[in-house]
Amino acid sequence: MSDQANGGNMGAQLRVLTQYVKDLSFENPNAPGSLGPVDEQPQINLKVDVGVKRMNDNDFEVSLKIGADATVKEKPMFLIEVEYAGLFRLTNVPETDLEAVLVVECPRQIFPFARRILADTTRDGGYPPLMIDPIDFVSLYQQRREQMSKEVANAAQPN
């Protein structure tokens, strides 16, 4: 069926208008002492968050915040945080699908760039590049929805 037969409506579209680093921080508090060989694997803690800001009817800023800290024997090696964002134009996306597109598909598009920044910065800090595994944004989205549902349910219960 042609677009004309559909009343001229095109399918849903997602365009990346631009992408950029909003914030980048790297701390190397015990260098140069922490840069030598270590006798055990560092403990790496990772935090991930997705933020969405509506700019106008069709444009959204989606930011991916990734933070990691590495310690050996409870002594900090490094701390890194990056907030990497993209400006996305969404057209013909049904309102019911909008949230999922913004917090799953948009971060998936910009994740490789944020991952590269983390790897390059840790390498430039004197460590092996931090290569984080791909993030399952669908699971992250589902966990957040479950958590929000529980919070709403708990808030609705009388004390």
Side-chain angles (χ1 to χ4, degrees):
M1 186 183 284
S2 74
D3 285 340
Q4 298 297 342
N6 277 337
N9 288 341
M10 292 181 55
Q13 291 184 326
L14 167 71
R15 283 188 39 216
V16 181
L17 300 179
T18 189
Q19 52 193 47
Y20 44 93
V21 173
K22 285 192 76 152
D23 190 26
L24 176 61
S25 173
F26 180 79
E27 296 176 28
N28 202 352
N30 294 307
S34 60
L35 300 176
V38 292
D39 47 348
E40 68 179 64
Q41 278 289 98
Q43 176 70 40
I44 297 178
N45 297 308
L46 191 65
K47 293 180 294 188
V48 178
D49 193 25
V50 175
V52 176
K53 180 178 173 186
R54 185 174 219 140
M55 306 306 283
N56 59 42
D57 285 348
N58 294 326
D59 297 345
F60 298 83
E61 179 189 61
V62 177
S63 61
L64 177 57
K65 297 177 190 175
I66 303 174
D69 62 82
T71 56
V72 171
K73 297 180 182 173
E74 298 182 23
K75 190 172 184 180
M77 293 178 71
F78 65 81
L79 171 69
I80 185 167
E81 296 175 319
V82 65
E83 181 176 3
Y84 193 80
L87 187 60
F88 294 87
R89 177 159 296 153
L90 278 60
T91 51
N92 299 321
V93 175
E95 196 67 34
T96 54
D97 298 339
L98 194 58
E99 182 182 18
V101 169
L102 289 168
V103 298
V104 174
E105 191 54 39
C106 292
R108 189 181 296 161
Q109 297 278 327
I110 60 176
F111 171 76
F113 302 95
R115 181 178 190 238
R116 182 188 50 79
I117 291 166
L118 290 168
D120 289 350
T121 304
T122 52
R123 186 197 65 231
D124 292 347
Y127 300 97
L130 177 62
M131 299 300 293
I132 61 173
D133 291 335
I135 297 169
D136 183 353
F137 290 103
V138 173
S139 277
L140 196 61
Y141 172 60
Q142 290 169 339
Q143 289 170 6
R144 294 235 168 95
R145 287 196 61 115
E146 285 175 22
Q147 182 182 359
M148 288 176 62
S149 295
K150 288 177 186 174
E151 289 172 6
V152 168
N154 289 340
Q157 291 179 351
N159 290 337

